Structure formats: structure tokens, C-alpha cells
């Protein structure tokens, strides 16, 4: 499947993923606007929308109906407050813009028959999302490292494996059939994903973002520019 969300657009513009969390644009509006750019080109590949479930300016039922009409077949909770911690996270939770709004968005989307693939960061969030009807749980290990604008600070790969298994265990305790994928943090490329597959008990796949569009694009473009710059003009 293909996932569309605002941070992907920012990354293609050379900005870091966290730009999608700041007041630089309407995240849900960007996803709606990108539908005609992506969905017709995707052909038979399912396209999932990243939905900011905490958006206080959307009637979520109406917005989800709009996404269906645009051709999206599923949703993910992005941008998500799950990546935010500390006092700011506490303030969001206390002022009606907390993770519970994302859970309710997934529950409503599941009621629409949409594929639901939420990001979760803790065991409790995994249980809440599965109970809300999530089809796929994505264990999020933080902002992806590597590349020119990737994060510099991350947990170790072994710690990521342990976190993935803890999240997967909590999810499967609610629904043994739920699929659990890994994403982000130190799991930046295929070698790290392979390591998780080898050492994890329950992870059955990888959910790529920077790993599949930003990092490969940066490398390919830089390599091609070097090839052109290396040309000899002598005749």
C-alpha cells in the first residue's frame, strides 16, 4: 500500500519530518489536496490517508467521508501526538487534543469499513487501537535516522526489537489476528528491518516512510549530480 501524509510532502521539499507537526500548513487539507496527484497513478495499489485525528477544525465523520469519495481506502493517525512527550504532550492531552482523539478517529474509520493502520508508541496505545478496530498496528520507534535531514538521536536496534515485541504482545492480547509492523527510529534501511524480522517474535512487516522515499531520493540525486559533475569537457 501507499501512504499519503503531510510530512511526506515536506520531506520531498527538503524539510524534516517534524515540519508536519508545526503550523506550516493544514495537515488534513494537504492529504485531501494530494489525492488527485497520487491515487490515479497508484492504479490498483491501495492508498491510505494520514489523518490528524486531533484536528479541532474538522468534523471527523465528514472528513472521513470526503477521503472515501477522493479514493482513499484506509487511514493512519498522522500527524500523531504519540511522538510528543513532556509538558507539551500533557498540555495537549489536557486541552482536548490528545491521543484519545486519534483512537476515536480510528474507531470511526473502522466503522466506515476503511483499512486502519495506526501508529502506536506504547503497549497501552496498542491495546486501545486494537480495541478500536485497528487492522494493522504499526510499532513506531521514533523519527527515522540517516540521510541529510534524518534524526540524529535514536534508541539502539536491540531496544527497538524489545519495544516492538512489547507492543505486539499487547496488541495480540486483545486480538491475536492483528498484524503488527515496525517503523522508524533506528530501523532506517533494509538491513535494520531484516534484523528486526530475525530477532522479533511477532513483527510481520515494515512500514516505510523516510526509508522508502526520502533516503533513496537523496542518494540517487546526489550520485547522479556527481556523475554529471565528473564529465570531462575536452573534445
Amino acid at each position: 500500500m501507499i501512504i499519503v501524509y503531510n510530512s511526506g510532502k515536506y520531506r520531498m521539499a527538503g524539510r524534516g519530518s517534524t515540519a508536519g507537526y508545526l503550523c506550516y500548513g493544514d495537515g488534513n487539507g494537504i492529504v485531501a489536496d494530494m489525492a488527485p496527484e497520487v491515487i490515479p497513478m497508484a492504479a490498483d495499489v491501495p492508498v491510505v490517508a494520514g489523518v490528524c485525528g486531533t484536528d479541532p477544525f474538522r468534523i471527523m465523520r465528514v472528513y472521513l467521508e470526503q477521503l472515501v469519495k477522493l479514493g482513499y481506502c484506509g487511514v493512519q493517525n498522522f500527524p500523531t501526538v504519540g511522538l510528543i512527550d513532556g509538558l507539551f504532550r500533557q498540555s495537549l492531552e489536557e486541552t482536548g487534543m490528545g491521543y484519545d482523539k486519534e483512537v476515536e478517529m480510528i474507531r470511526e474509520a473502522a466503522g466506515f469499513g476503511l483499512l486502519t493502520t495506526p501508529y502506536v508508541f506504547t503497549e497501552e496505545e496498542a491495546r486501545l487501537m486494537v480495541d478500536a478496530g485497528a487492522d494493522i498496528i504499526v510499532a513506531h520507534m521514533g523519527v527515522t535516522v540517516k540521510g541529510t535531514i534524518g534524526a540524529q538521536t535514536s534508541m539502539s536496534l536491540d531496544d527497538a526489537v524489545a519495544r516492538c515485541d512489547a507492543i505486539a504482545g499487547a496488541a495480540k492480547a486483545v486480538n491475536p489476528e492483528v498484524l503488527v509492523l515496525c517503523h522508524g527510529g533506528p530501523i532506517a534501511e533494509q538491513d535494520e528491518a531484516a534484523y528486526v524480522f530475525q530477532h522479533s517474535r511477532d513483527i510481520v512487516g515494515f512500514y516505510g516512510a523516510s526509508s522508502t522515499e526520502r533516503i533513496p531520493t537523496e542518494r540517487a540525486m546526489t550520485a547522479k549530480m556527481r556523475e554529471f559533475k565528473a564529465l570531462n569537457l575536452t573534445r
Side-chain angles (χ1 to χ4, degrees), residues 20-60:
Y21 281 77
L22 301 174
C23 52
Y24 304 142
D26 174 4
N28 284 331
I30 287 171
V31 169
D33 291 342
M34 288 179 69
E37 297 179 34
V38 177
I39 294 174
M41 298 299 295
D44 295 330
V45 178
V47 182
V48 173
V51 176
C52 180
T54 59
D55 187 345
F57 299 101
R58 302 276 173 177
I59 299 172
M60 195 51 61

Side-chain angles (χ1 to χ4, degrees), residues 106 110 114-118 129 133-137 175 177-180:
I106 292 295
L114 289 163
L115 176 71
T116 50
T117 68
M129 284 298 190
D135 300 297
I136 298 171
I137 291 295
N175 176 9
E177 301 301 317
V178 72
L179 299 176
V180 186

Side-chain angles (χ1 to χ4, degrees), residues 3-173:
I3 320 300
V4 176
Y5 51 67
N6 65 335
S7 280
K9 191 173 185 70
Y10 288 130
R11 284 195 294 270
M12 293 301 98
R15 275 70 178 181
S17 296
T18 47
Y21 281 77
L22 301 174
C23 52
Y24 304 142
D26 174 4
N28 284 331
I30 287 171
V31 169
D33 291 342
M34 288 179 69
E37 297 179 34
V38 177
I39 294 174
M41 298 299 295
D44 295 330
V45 178
V47 182
V48 173
V51 176
C52 180
T54 59
D55 187 345
F57 299 101
R58 302 276 173 177
I59 299 172
M60 195 51 61
R61 172 183 52 79
V62 174
Y63 180 62
L64 292 173
E65 290 174 347
Q66 178 189 3
L67 294 179
V68 172
K69 290 177 181 178
L70 288 170
Y72 286 107
C73 71
V75 298
Q76 180 197 38
N77 58 326
F78 191 90
T80 169
V81 299
L83 272 177
I84 301 171
D85 56 15
L87 289 175
F88 185 52
R89 171 66 179 274
Q90 183 177 342
S91 295
L92 290 171
E93 297 287 347
E94 291 174 353
T95 54
M97 291 173 280
Y99 194 83
D100 62 307
K101 291 291 190 296
E102 300 177 24
V103 173
E104 288 310 306
M105 182 274 291
I106 292 295
R107 190 184 306 278
E108 194 156 14
F112 273 90
L114 289 163
L115 176 71
T116 50
T117 68
Y119 280 141
V120 304
F121 302 82
T122 68
E123 293 96 318
E124 178 59 20
E125 289 171 359
R127 286 187 284 267
L128 289 171
M129 284 298 190
V130 176
D131 183 67
D135 300 297
I136 298 171
I137 291 295
V138 184
H140 200 308
M141 299 295 108
V143 178
T144 303
V145 300
K146 296 189 177 182
T148 59
I149 55 173
Q152 302 299 312
T153 304
S154 180
M155 68 182 74
S156 71
L157 200 52
D158 285 328
D159 285 343
V161 170
R163 290 294 309 129
C164 285
D165 277 345
I167 287 170
K172 287 182 171 294

Side-chain angles (χ1 to χ4, degrees), residues 212-232:
T212 53
E213 29 95 324
R214 174 178 64 81
I215 294 173
T217 301
E218 290 173 353
R219 289 178 179 166
M221 292 180 68
T222 302
K224 184 54 63 178
M225 296 305 168
R226 286 181 176 145
E227 290 175 4
F228 274 107
K229 285 179 65 67
L231 291 175
N232 190 334

